Amino acid sequence: MMRQNPPAPMPPNQTLYINNLNEKVKLEELKKSLYAIFSQFGEVLEIVAAKNLKARGQAFVVFKDINSATNALRSMQGFPFYEKPMRINYAKKKSDAVAKLDGSYVAKERKPKEKRKATEQGGEAKRHMMPPMMNMMAGMQPPGNIPMPPVPQVGNGGSEIPHKILFLTNLPQETTEMMLTMLFEQFPGFKETRLVPGRHDISFIEFENDQQASQAKHALQNFKITPSNAMRISFANK
């Protein structure tokens, strides 16, 4: 009996296909977390994921250039993402976002039935459209007078004297402990992430020693968790 050869890998392109993702993670959180960890390799044009049964556990990450996609594939292959190792390959087809960028995009012709449905739903959809962040945060402002846990003291925006604990500022509202942990646990010596109740914009990251904390600080300084928020990193005051 002849043994079949494994399928040939896809040729390099700007779009990565990712599977073996944790299906229990909510779609919006999944897309934000994917953006947070993959945008460190280059400009991400879009994250494509769907919640229907056929598309569960899968996503596409579209980069602006091939080098960024290649670096991300090599670095993140097998990375434990929500407790499951990611399987990453280049996508089979060029994404619409890339096609629009290089001028090769051709709009797909909708079937007559789809056109009617889109027209009927268009006005209703526009009335209900809100930025994902607003939907997520509406009515969720933390109450005042929340007792603060013991955290390192921070003066005027932190310190530049090396310390094993990093102080993060300018974080977006949708930042979660999982997002920050996935970013910083790639560096040696990572110990824990500490959020501050009542403050979405700051956090503390602890490493085993000053040198390991310095390495992570240098690598992720001004990293954008979202397109509009560049993370500021300093050392916590001793």
Side-chain angles (χ1 to χ4, degrees):
M1 182 174 179
M2 293 183 65
R3 194 170 63 181
Q4 291 183 340
N5 293 324
M10 294 295 115
N13 63 79
Q14 292 105 310
T15 305
L16 298 180
Y17 167 67
I18 306 169
N19 66 356
N20 199 42
L21 298 174
N22 193 325
E23 298 178 11
K24 296 179 181 179
V25 181
K26 292 182 179 178
L27 184 63
E28 282 306 312
E29 182 181 347
L30 177 75
K31 292 169 75 171
K32 287 169 184 171
S33 296
L34 285 171
Y35 180 89
I37 62 172
F38 278 97
S39 58
Q40 63 185 302
F41 299 99
E43 184 177 344
V44 173
L45 299 180
E46 68 176 339
I47 305 287
V48 180
K51 59 184 178 181
N52 61 66
L53 188 62
K54 188 177 180 180
R56 280 183 189 171
Q58 307 169 66
F60 293 89
V61 178
V62 186
F63 285 92
K64 189 174 182 180
D65 60 80
I66 294 176
N67 285 341
S68 298
T70 299
N71 288 336
L73 186 152
R74 291 172 178 168
S75 300
M76 302 304 292
Q77 187 70 265
F79 180 80
F81 185 71
Y82 288 101
E83 301 179 349
K84 293 187 71 175
M86 289 191 288
R87 292 201 291 263
I88 310 174
N89 200 352
Y90 296 106
K92 293 180 181 179
K93 298 179 181 179
K94 183 188 295 185
S95 75
D96 287 349
V98 174
K100 288 175 183 177
L101 199 65
D102 65 18
S104 63
Y105 176 72
V106 178
K108 297 178 180 67
E109 183 65 26
R110 286 181 178 175
K111 296 177 182 178
K113 193 172 182 180
E114 290 179 343
K115 286 183 179 179
R116 284 200 304 272
K117 189 174 181 181
T119 303
E120 291 168 1
Q121 294 180 347
E124 186 69 17
K126 286 179 182 177
R127 286 196 294 273
H128 290 284
M129 282 172 69
M130 286 180 73
M133 188 192 312
M134 296 298 292
N135 277 332
M136 185 176 69
M137 298 303 296
M140 292 178 61
Q141 292 299 325
N145 301 321
I146 295 178
M148 302 288 282
V151 295
Q153 294 298 309
V154 178
N156 297 324
S159 168
E160 287 309 311
I161 301 174
H163 190 292
K164 68 177 184 177
I165 297 176
L166 299 177
F167 175 54
L168 279 52
T169 61
N170 199 41
L171 300 174
Q173 283 186 324
E174 59 263 49
T175 302
T176 66
E177 183 179 341
M178 178 63 75
M179 282 184 190
L180 293 176
T181 297
M182 285 191 295
L183 273 178
F184 283 91
E185 72 179 358
Q186 303 173 64
F187 298 92
F190 171 81
K191 289 186 71 176
E192 67 171 339
T193 300
R194 300 210 292 269
L195 301 181
V196 180
R199 292 291 302 273
H200 73 267
D201 58 327
I202 64 175
S203 179
F204 294 92
I205 306 291
E206 184 175 352
F207 284 84
E208 291 179 359
N209 58 51
D210 298 4
Q211 185 177 0
Q212 292 167 334
S214 297
Q215 181 184 356
K217 175 180 179 292
H218 176 74
L220 292 176
Q221 186 68 271
N222 294 318
F223 174 77
K224 291 186 176 181
I225 291 182
T226 67
S228 58
N229 288 77
M231 182 167 59
R232 310 265 194 273
I233 310 176
S234 56
F235 296 109
N237 291 336
K238 291 190 177 182

